[in-house]
Amino acid sequence: MQWMTLFQKETLENWRNFKWLWVPITFILVAALDPVTTHYLPVILEKSGELPEGAILDLPTPTPPEAFLLSFGQLNLLGVAVVLLMTMGIIAAERKSGVTELILVKPVSYTAYITAKWASTLVLIFFSLFLGLLTSWYYVNILYGDLAFSIMIGSFFLYSVWITFVLTISIFMNVFFKTPGLVGFLSVALIILINSLNGLVSRFIDGYPPQINAYIREYVINGSTSGDLWLTLIITLLLIGVLLISSVLIFRKKELAA
Amino acid sequence: MEQTFSEVISSIPWGIVAPLLVIQSILLIVALVDWFRIESTNGPKWVWLIIILFFNIPGPILYFLIGRRNDG
């Protein structure tokens, strides 16, 4: 009951500050631009007139799966950046301005406060991600050739686990610091660190969260995955749970102390 | 080599480009509407108008991400 009220309040707020408009549009543009521009790259280069007379351009045409994967490359860069920048003040700014205190003087549970924010942002991001991948899939089908719809759906589910992990890290950072800029910077740094350790860690253990991206690649190209996809998914989901629970616990401790 | 303006226009695959243009325009319009209605932004308000208008796609997105005050 109380949780639904908070959830609705967050969703309403996301309507009022236009997040339900600009986040989906951003994801659509981020996901669709690369497949489209790559297809027209020879034309763009030719029209820009920078090439010397008689230059021969022999760019390999990507296969449909390769073209679709271009979207994930952009999402990993710009999509993740948008998620982190969008959520860097989600709790930190409210704590700084005192809104948190206004809410928490009422009998509102700390768990509901944090998880309602987490869930409402998650719904928004899933919606945006789905629209983005759908647009990319549409363009890949028109410009490059057939790509099964089930591949789009499957990769959407895999990627949504990864993006949930990214969001939860941002929520976790929000609980620690009151300055949105610092929260954003630290979450970006942490995600970069986690990603850059991928090569090293993957050599020794299976189930490291960023490996999801490698599985998506395999899934889109082959239609199936080898190795421990499920282990990676379960470990990532467990980490999300742990991060979320510790966020609530730390938040409660900090707010009671304040 | 020389092409007239109308030739260039008709050579553009509108079926593919038009949806992206429409989406981008919606983003631009929403950002402008919000810019007019908002009281104050992070930093000078007129700078954000220039950013929204002249930096095609990243401009409005940056405005929503950073320009809007998150605490107001």
Side-chain angles (χ1 to χ4, degrees):
Chain A
M1 264 307 285
Q2 186 192 53
W3 191 87
M4 274 316 288
T5 315
L6 281 170
F7 180 78
Q8 278 162 7
K9 174 235 166 213
E10 292 299 330
T11 310
L12 183 67
E13 192 176 335
N14 285 344
W15 270 111
R16 295 241 168 101
N17 57 27
F18 296 106
K19 272 187 187 157
W20 274 98
L21 268 170
W22 71 262
V23 180
I25 290 179
T26 307
F27 270 77
I28 288 173
L29 292 173
V30 163
L33 271 183
D34 233 23
V36 174
T37 47
T38 305
H39 183 262
Y40 287 109
L41 197 59
V43 185
I44 293 167
L45 286 175
E46 193 187 309
K47 298 276 184 209
S48 67
E50 297 282 312
L51 293 172
E53 202 68 32
I56 296 168
L57 263 178
D58 200 9
L59 296 168
T61 318
T63 60
E66 279 168 359
F68 188 58
L69 283 169
L70 290 173
S71 297
F72 285 98
Q74 290 296 319
L75 283 172
N76 262 333
L77 204 70
L78 297 171
V80 166
V82 166
V83 168
L84 291 179
L85 288 174
M86 177 180 80
T87 54
M88 69 185 182
I90 191 170
I91 296 168
E94 285 200 355
R95 285 175 70 200
K96 204 175 180 185
S97 65
V99 174
T100 314
E101 280 160 9
L102 284 178
I103 293 173
L104 291 175
V105 286
K106 301 182 179 70
V108 170
S109 87
Y110 294 90
T111 317
Y113 177 74
I114 301 257
T115 50
K117 275 190 182 300
W118 178 76
S120 64
T121 315
L122 207 55
V123 172
L124 171 66
I125 291 173
F126 282 0
F127 176 73
S128 312
L129 180 67
F130 186 81
L131 284 187
L133 289 180
L134 189 68
T135 318
S136 167
W137 175 82
Y138 166 78
Y139 276 119
V140 166
N141 265 284
I142 288 185
L143 298 173
Y144 297 90
D146 282 344
L147 184 74
F149 190 68
S150 58
I151 294 280
M152 194 281 279
I153 298 288
S155 55
F156 163 72
F157 279 115
L158 291 181
Y159 199 75
S160 54
V161 175
W162 169 247
I163 207 95
T164 310
F165 182 67
V166 170
L167 171 70
T168 315
I169 283 182
S170 178
I171 297 274
F172 186 67
M173 287 296 176
N174 260 288
V175 170
F176 275 100
F177 305 101
K178 284 188 181 178
T179 319
L182 186 64
V183 171
F185 173 76
L186 286 175
S187 335
V188 170
L190 191 59
I191 293 288
I192 291 175
L193 182 73
I194 289 172
N195 270 327
S196 58
L197 285 177
N198 190 14
L200 183 68
V201 176
S202 300
R203 212 174 272 194
F204 300 108
I205 52 163
D206 279 333
Y208 189 57
Q211 285 175 0
I212 292 176
N213 289 308
Y215 285 121
I216 290 176
R217 193 176 175 76
E218 217 180 312
Y219 176 70
V220 171
I221 289 178
N222 301 330
S224 62
T225 54
S226 59
D228 285 318
L229 168 68
W230 290 108
L231 180 72
T232 314
L233 287 183
I234 289 167
I235 289 182
T236 310
L237 290 173
L238 278 177
L239 275 174
I240 290 169
V242 168
L243 278 172
L244 205 57
I245 291 168
S246 38
S247 301
V248 172
L249 292 178
I250 294 164
F251 180 66
R252 178 181 292 152
K253 206 175 155 196
K254 287 213 165 196
E255 283 299 312
L256 283 180
Chain B
M1 271 313 273
E2 285 298 313
Q3 279 180 312
T4 62
F5 183 69
S6 60
E7 270 174 352
V8 173
I9 290 293
S10 60
S11 73
I12 295 174
W14 288 108
I16 286 155
V17 179
L20 290 179
L21 282 181
V22 169
I23 285 174
Q24 192 202 327
S25 327
I26 296 173
L27 187 66
L28 180 71
I29 291 164
V30 172
L32 282 176
V33 167
D34 189 60
W35 182 87
F36 274 110
R37 283 173 36 178
I38 204 165
E39 260 179 51
S40 61
T41 52
N42 263 340
K45 210 180 161 185
W46 61 271
V47 174
W48 281 110
L49 181 65
I50 294 173
I51 293 175
I52 292 171
L53 284 177
F54 292 102
F55 294 89
N56 241 320
I57 292 175
I61 296 174
L62 278 177
Y63 166 73
F64 280 117
L65 275 176
I66 307 165
R68 269 185 129 260
R69 278 179 189 277
N70 293 318
D71 50 2

